[in-house]
Amino acid sequence: MKVVFVQPFSQAAPGGSSRIFSRLIECHRDSVETLILGVESPAESLPCETFIQERRTWGRLEKSRLRCLADSTWPLTWARRSSEVQDFLNSKQPGHVHSIAHGVGFWPSFRWARRNETPYSFTIHDDVRHLFQGHIWRNSIEKWVQEVWNGATNRFVISPEIGEEYNRRYGQRDWTMVTDGLDQAPVALRPVVSKRLNLYFAGGLNVPYEPNFLAAQQALKLFQGEHPDWEVRFIVRGGRRLECEDPSAPPMEARPFAPQSEVVKDLEEVDLLYLPLSIDPRYANFAKFSLSTKMITYLGSGLPVFYHGPRESAAYQLLKKHDACVSCFSNDPQDIYKAFQAAYSQRERVTNNALSLGRKSFMIDGIRDRFWSRIN
């Protein structure tokens, strides 16, 4: 059966959603095609992917607070692009359509599926109210989400929190939790390396996280001052340097995005895994419902996880329930410094609990079977 995924990114792109989907289709590539409806052509794409440009790109403006001006041109091209999505589906005649509530491709693909009586699956990774904040058609898009939530054959969510919230907002429907997973069952706590604190982050350093990183850097400076004979580093895989870094603090060692195999190699030289989420209330709807793919990689690492963000997040609530992390809920360097100390005193307990959680809930074979059993 041919399945068409409609989304605004390539399966080969860096980022949590693309990683989840590429992992889900690893054993089904011959039956999957992807339609990318996005603003910018993907830097990398796969042979089974087709790109349709949603609207003209405005360069640097796309990553600034003035993006709303670029979005204001969106209605000028929307009718034509919506027709192109449906023309593409007419040409493929899939047996199943899947889309995600990132971008707006979910709406024309749902309309096509409904008109052609084709099963349709809807995935939610981030809250629509966060994703489309400031968008010129935000209210219309949320109404589309409500209709698709209620009309889809299947609903896949990244966390129970967002499934429950959408049931409250849009209507009671069954949903299935689907996220990233571990290839192999984690088995062992990694040994402690004496006189070393290397903090590690794997993932995109998004703008809302910047205050967290600068505060963590100051905490590392405090730690280095108290432990002058220790190796103290801040390794950021997939991140970047920040203009306002303290030159007297351990610098952020920015490394480019890399395959999972490189991330696994990185773990040989680190001691504490950094899981930040913005504490700023403006981003509450992102933190509250999303479940980071890097968190799942961390669970299988055999290293302690340091959660740094709001108490209400889905990630923290899960880790807290299983006593699987050390935590800090402020950007006060002194509070973060105390979390570093706790990472040593509680290391064995929280890491073994994280390993157990990974084995119990996040093995990729079970997650993949859960997804495809619904599709089929």
Side-chain angles (χ1 to χ4, degrees), residues 193-362:
V193 177
S194 63
K195 295 188 175 183
R196 190 181 80 175
L197 174 58
N198 291 346
L199 184 63
Y200 181 76
F201 172 79
L205 200 170
N206 301 320
V207 171
Y209 299 166
E210 289 182 5
N212 299 58
F213 276 77
L214 294 172
Q217 187 182 43
Q218 288 299 306
L220 288 173
K221 181 179 178 179
L222 290 174
F223 193 94
Q224 182 77 87
E226 293 292 327
H227 304 82
D229 58 337
W230 281 45
E231 174 188 333
V232 180
R233 297 166 64 192
F234 196 171
I235 302 169
V236 183
R237 169 65 75 182
R240 53 190 166 83
R241 298 296 301 273
L242 300 180
E243 293 181 1
C244 42
E245 285 184 43
D246 181 350
S248 66
M252 295 179 199
E253 301 176 28
R255 300 179 181 182
F257 280 105
Q260 186 70 5
S261 57
E262 289 299 310
V263 172
V264 171
K265 289 180 183 178
D266 288 344
L267 299 180
E268 297 294 334
E269 55 181 308
V270 301
D271 307 284
L272 184 60
L273 303 172
Y274 190 38
L275 183 62
L277 283 171
S278 176
I279 298 168
D280 190 326
R282 291 177 298 171
Y283 305 104
N285 272 15
F286 175 77
K288 188 174 181 181
F289 303 121
S290 297
L291 204 64
S292 169
T293 55
K294 58 182 163 283
M295 185 201 75
I296 295 162
T297 299
Y298 289 177
L299 292 178
S301 68
L303 292 165
V305 177
F306 167 41
Y307 172 80
H308 180 198
R311 294 177 188 270
E312 300 79 15
S313 75
Y316 177 66
Q317 291 303 312
L318 177 67
L319 294 170
K320 176 187 175 185
K321 179 180 179 181
H322 294 272
D323 189 20
C325 71
V326 295
S327 56
C328 178
F329 312 112
S330 81
N331 283 334
D332 184 333
Q334 290 286 351
D335 292 341
I336 299 170
Y337 176 81
K338 292 175 184 176
F340 292 161
Q341 294 177 314
Y344 282 92
S345 63
Q346 302 172 27
R347 183 178 189 275
E348 184 173 351
R349 187 186 78 250
V350 299
T351 306
N352 281 329
N353 288 341
L355 291 168
S356 176
L357 176 59
R359 284 191 296 268
K360 178 181 177 182
S361 302
F362 294 103

Side-chain angles (χ1 to χ4, degrees), residues 368-376:
R368 193 181 287 129
D369 288 347
R370 192 157 66 234
F371 178 79
W372 284 102
S373 67
R374 303 293 297 178
I375 294 290
N376 291 327

Side-chain angles (χ1 to χ4, degrees), residues 146 149-150 155 157 160-175:
Q146 181 171 10
W149 177 260
N150 284 281
R155 286 149 295 274
V157 299
E161 285 82 358
I162 202 165
E164 292 165 2
E165 174 67 11
Y166 275 38
N167 272 350
R168 185 189 66 80
R169 280 190 209 167
Y170 305 128
Q172 289 288 327
R173 292 292 185 271
D174 293 335
W175 46 261

Side-chain angles (χ1 to χ4, degrees), residues 78-113:
W78 172 239
R80 181 182 300 175
R81 299 301 175 253
S82 180
S83 294
E84 289 178 11
V85 171
Q86 298 191 50
D87 289 344
F88 176 86
L89 293 169
N90 280 331
S91 70
K92 299 299 179 180
Q93 288 295 311
H96 200 108
V97 178
H98 171 278
S99 61
I100 182 173
H102 282 52
V104 288
F106 71 89
W107 179 241
S109 58
F110 172 72
R111 292 174 62 201
W112 182 90

